[in-house]
Amino acid sequence: SNLLSLQNIWVEYGDKVVLERVNLDIATGSFVSIVGPSGAGKSTLLRVILGQEAPTRGQIWLDGAPLPPECGPDRGVVFQRYSVFPHLTVLGNMLFGLECAQSPFLSRLLGAHRRTAIAEAEAMLDAVGLGDSRDIYPAQMSGGMQQRLAIAQALIKRPRILLLDEPFGALDPGIRADMHGLITRLWRDYALTIIMVTHDIKEAFSLGTRVLTIDKRRRDPHAPHRYGATAV
Ligand code: ADP
Ligand code: ADP
């Protein structure tokens, strides 16, 4: 069944069309890779699904209901870098992630049950292989460890949808292979639906159950700044 359904999505900035008539159904439990050239609108598409950006036209459905406009605890996101806070420890980053979820349940968890929140955070750190790192700072960690933390931070809200924007793009190939194993395991263990933007075609096909290409398509040769992107 479809978890997400994008219907006739347009995103325009002035007269520049970035997403044009995107129709996309995403099945529960799928791992969707999105590839395409820089500037094609991949990050814009993720922002729309996150609820950070309202489409100019079109509708998005989550479980058959209109997508809540703000980023709720049902969606987690990891970017290529700068996802973690340098002035907080690993555990501090995890608890901060909970506070940002703005869910009444999690607020209570933090207020009256701080110990429960810490236990949850520690369990999630164990799941990404950072069980021994809770008291250190990001500056003391490798890029791979920082991305593990970013993933744990996204997952502590227990989202059903995990959005990944070039999550492994800044990592060395060996580390990237470890991360592929990790994300596949988390996808299965937490029954996630994953949508990942990547420049790495091999990665897109080896991880994805489905690969989408999103491409710049010139709409009017006399107006080269005006193009649209379509997902297929
Ligand atoms: P990529 O996702 O390909 O790395 P960026 O996100 O850095 O690309 O942005 C690509 C282009 O989008 C840049 O030319 C940048 O100027 C433009 N851009 C991004 N955000 C905005 C914005 N808020 N307003 C205007 N232009 C933007
Ligand atoms: P990708 O992630 O595929 O590299 P983006 O979604 O970052 O592409 O950007 C798609 C296009 O939208 C780019 O041409 C970029 O310049 C433009 N763009 C993105 N955000 C803005 C914005 N806020 N204002 C104006 N143009 C933007």
Side-chain angles (χ1 to χ4, degrees):
S1 64
N2 287 327
L3 181 57
L4 270 175
S5 182
L6 281 67
Q7 292 172 3
N8 190 31
I9 293 296
W10 292 65
V11 172
E12 293 155 282
Y13 300 110
D15 63 355
K16 180 173 178 177
V17 181
V18 174
L19 297 180
E20 178 187 353
R21 253 185 6 253
V22 172
N23 287 290
L24 184 59
D25 287 327
I26 294 179
T28 305
S30 55
F31 192 137
V32 180
S33 301
I34 300 178
V35 295
S38 195
K42 303 181 297 297
S43 298
T44 302
L45 183 63
L46 287 194
R47 281 201 306 276
V48 166
I49 295 172
L50 260 176
Q52 286 179 346
E53 178 149 352
T56 326
R57 284 181 250 174
Q59 267 127 25
I60 309 182
W61 304 89
L62 174 67
D63 270 340
L67 183 82
E70 282 148 41
C71 182
D74 51 351
R75 282 153 285 166
V77 63
V78 175
F79 300 101
Q80 184 170 341
R81 54 183 90 193
Y82 310 127
S83 297
V84 301
F85 300 101
H87 58 288
L88 295 174
T89 63
V90 165
L91 184 64
N93 265 282
M94 294 296 286
L95 297 178
F96 190 83
L98 274 181
E99 278 161 15
C100 285
Q102 288 178 334
S103 116
F105 166 71
L106 293 171
S107 305
R108 252 184 292 131
L109 194 69
L110 267 187
H113 303 287
R114 192 175 165 81
R115 245 180 262 159
T116 314
I118 291 172
E120 284 279 313
E122 286 176 337
M124 197 57 75
L125 288 172
D126 278 338
V128 301
L130 291 179
D132 297 330
S133 307
R134 55 164 267 181
D135 295 321
I136 65 175
Y137 286 87
Q140 298 166 265
M141 298 162 69
S142 67
M145 287 172 79
Q146 291 190 27
Q147 283 309 74
R148 285 172 188 268
L149 173 57
I151 292 167
Q153 203 180 40
L155 291 183
I156 195 171
K157 296 181 266 175
R158 296 296 172 93
R160 286 183 299 162
I161 304 169
L162 182 62
L163 302 168
L164 305 170
D165 197 348
E166 295 274 357
F168 315 127
L171 305 176
D172 295 337
I175 305 291
R176 219 179 294 170
D178 293 343
M179 300 299 280
H180 290 167
L182 173 68
I183 205 71
T184 304
R185 186 161 51 73
L186 295 170
W187 173 49
R188 191 191 57 216
D189 289 353
Y190 293 95
L192 298 166
T193 300
I194 295 184
I195 306 171
M196 174 184 73
V197 166
T198 178
H199 273 108
D200 182 339
I201 304 285
K202 260 176 69 183
E203 179 177 272
F205 278 92
S206 67
L207 293 181
T209 54
R210 179 178 175 198
V211 179
L212 298 175
T213 60
I214 182 163
D215 207 349
K216 290 188 206 182
R217 189 159 60 80
R218 194 158 303 201
R219 302 178 70 232
D220 176 359
H222 302 294
H225 64 283
R226 187 173 165 82
Y227 62 82
T230 42
V232 290

